[in-house]
Amino acid sequence: MSAPELSAGHSGLMDSVYRHQRHIYDLTRKYYLLGRDRMISELAPPTGGTVLELGCGTGRNLILAARRFPNAHFYGLDISAEMLATARASIARAGLSDRISLAQADATSFDAAALFGRAGFDRVFISYALSMIPGWERSVSAALAASVGSVHIVDFGQQERLPAWFRNLLRGWLARFHVTPRETLAAEIAAQARAAGKSTSFTSLCRGYAWLVVVGGIKA
């Protein structure tokens, strides 16, 4: 199957999964998508800077980031038209349509210049999306290519310091939503960062429940 066919298939899958869930997504996910707010608080884009989110979903993170950093402009892309419909409505209600731009695209392969009129962003971030993306390694590559500053990623860890029963219960629950914690997440990001000549910092959150990775230094 070709890359465009895979992309179209995943888009349809995500639309079917979130067609109804998108209306309650933020309410239900806030209890277990840990580390998102910390990641957002550490973005610190420069005044007049640009921030791109890959897999922006309902727009929750973009709205929070835009409110926290009022002197930056934000961009988001997602493969699901259903999620983007919710994101656009939420962003409009928040009065942030002039500072947040959205587009439908595959996070593993996209043309930022064609989508948003710019090829590079001061900050790029990915929040709990890599665990849902087939070929997620290509999304890491795309994030690094789109960044002229730092890349921030938070996602499920391996729950390495949590009880086995909890880990098994969590994995079973996540599988119902086509979510798979990536065992090689940190190593893959670090390897790609080294190849690009960039530094990496890694933080394990909540006993390994989540992993937070930052590539590149932050320049104010």
Side-chain angles (χ1 to χ4, degrees), residues 22 56-60 62-63 78 80-94 97 100 102:
R22 63 191 173 95
C56 64
T58 64
R60 179 263 187 195
L62 288 170
I63 291 171
D78 201 280
S80 170
E82 297 286 346
M83 282 297 218
L84 287 171
T86 293
R88 289 190 177 97
S90 297
I91 290 167
R93 283 196 301 271
S97 297
I100 303 177
L102 301 177

Side-chain angles (χ1 to χ4, degrees), residues 31 38 48 51 67-68 76 82 118 121 139-140 165 193 197 200:
Y31 298 108
R38 170 173 172 172
V51 181
R67 286 172 172 166
R68 186 176 185 90
E82 297 286 346
R118 61 175 59 249
F121 302 83
S139 292
V140 175
W165 66 264
T200 307

Side-chain angles (χ1 to χ4, degrees), residues 25 28-36 127-128 131 153-163 165-174 177 179-183 185 202-212:
Y25 183 92
T28 58
R29 267 56 175 185
K30 68 179 181 178
Y31 298 108
Y32 65 90
L33 298 186
L34 308 180
R36 294 182 298 172
S127 173
Y128 285 94
S131 51
I153 297 171
V154 66
D155 213 311
F156 292 105
Q158 292 297 296
Q159 302 83 49
E160 57 269 22
R161 288 179 287 123
L162 290 167
W165 66 264
F166 178 87
R167 183 167 56 251
N168 293 334
L169 184 65
L170 177 65
R171 297 293 180 94
W173 170 256
L174 294 176
F177 304 101
V179 176
T180 304
R182 309 303 187 185
E183 183 177 358
L185 178 75
F202 170 83
T203 304
S204 177
L205 305 175
C206 304
R207 300 173 66 187
Y209 180 93
W211 289 347
L212 176 61

Side-chain angles (χ1 to χ4, degrees), residues 31-51:
Y31 298 108
Y32 65 90
L33 298 186
L34 308 180
R36 294 182 298 172
D37 292 355
R38 170 173 172 172
M39 179 195 65
I40 290 169
S41 72
E42 294 176 354
L43 290 174
T47 299
T50 55
V51 181

